[in-house]
Amino acid sequence: VFSTTTMGEVRGGIPYNDLAYFVVGATLYEINSSGTSLARGTLSTSTGRVSMAHNGVRTSGNQQIFIADGANGYIYDNSTSILTAISDTDFVSSKTVTFIDGYFVFNEDSNNGRFWISVLYDGTSILESDFANAEGSPDKIQSLISDNRELYLFGTESLEVWYNSGDLDNTFQRYQGGFKQHGCAAPYSPARFDNTIIWLSQNERGDGQVVMMGQGY
């Protein structure tokens, strides 16, 4: 056994700065290359999958891991080794989070099809106007993932591909042709694979297919 933390459900994990971070039960653990684990903070939930993203290996401030547990959001500050709940009143509950072009991006766990972006490199700060809607189909956003500087937004029955347009008011916009009638049956199934993405699909005609995005969408 390489490392033992405690008994409990392993809910998610991420590598960051030559360390591994796991949420086990309600506790965030940091594990180094020798297998030594340190408890770094506590979540308010203790079961169910979590989604995790970090903002890169940086020497300046805001070295962060963002954790979404479906009810709350948390930021682990690597420079202070402190885990705190996101207290910004504009934060909304989310199941999945990713990082792209300096922004944490997370979907709103509701039926309105919204996703939100944080302030640059800072998951603790969200502006009330920094959201957009995946409107190609009126379905709920199930999940999201970033790959090759593209943002994939998975609805229950559709998929949209967005990109960073550089527009200050509408930072992310949908690619022309970046809409597909393949949604997501399992929020935590999308994964990077073979220089593209793969996931468990569903749409209005059925579900249960494992599909992979090809070239040209």
Side-chain angles (χ1 to χ4, degrees), residues 4-9 24-25 29:
T4 301
T5 55
T6 184
M7 296 298 291
E9 176 184 346
V24 182
Y29 287 96

Side-chain angles (χ1 to χ4, degrees), residues 12 21 23 39 47 54 59 78 86 90 112 123 137 141 152 156 179-181 186 190 192 213:
Y21 292 86
V23 175
T47 61
H54 67 73
T59 57
N78 185 63
I86 297 174
D90 293 314
N112 59 21
S137 178
I141 296 180
Y152 293 82
T156 54
F179 175 84
K180 293 298 171 187
Q181 291 179 315
R192 299 181 183 95
M213 180 66 75

Side-chain angles (χ1 to χ4, degrees), residues 73-75 84-91 123-126:
Y74 307 85
I75 295 295
T84 57
I86 297 174
S87 59
D88 192 306
T89 56
D90 293 314
F91 175 75
T124 66
S125 181
I126 296 96

Side-chain angles (χ1 to χ4, degrees), residues 2 34 37 58 67 71 79 82 91 94 122 133 159-160 168 171 180 182 184:
F2 174 71
S34 66
S37 64
R58 309 169 64 241
I67 304 172
S79 59
I82 295 174
F91 175 75
S94 175
D122 187 5
N133 287 70
L159 165 66
E160 297 188 16
L168 294 178
T171 305
K180 293 298 171 187
H182 274 278
C184 182

Side-chain angles (χ1 to χ4, degrees), residues 109-176:
D109 190 23
S110 67
N111 293 319
N112 59 21
R114 286 181 182 176
F115 68 95
W116 294 73
I117 65 173
S118 71
V119 170
L120 273 171
Y121 290 100
D122 187 5
T124 66
S125 181
I126 296 96
L127 302 180
E128 63 178 354
S129 60
D130 277 347
F131 68 87
N133 287 70
E135 296 178 326
S137 178
D139 53 349
K140 172 185 176 180
I141 296 180
Q142 284 272 74
S143 183
L144 51 78
I145 193 173
S146 59
D147 186 57
N148 292 318
R149 293 193 64 227
E150 296 176 327
L151 179 63
Y152 293 82
L153 303 171
F154 296 89
T156 54
E157 297 179 351
S158 67
L159 165 66
E160 297 188 16
V161 186
W162 290 50
Y163 70 102
N164 185 348
S165 69
D167 188 304
L168 294 178
D169 295 322
N170 300 284
T171 305
F172 288 91
Q173 299 182 20
R174 189 175 68 205
Y175 273 115
Q176 291 296 321

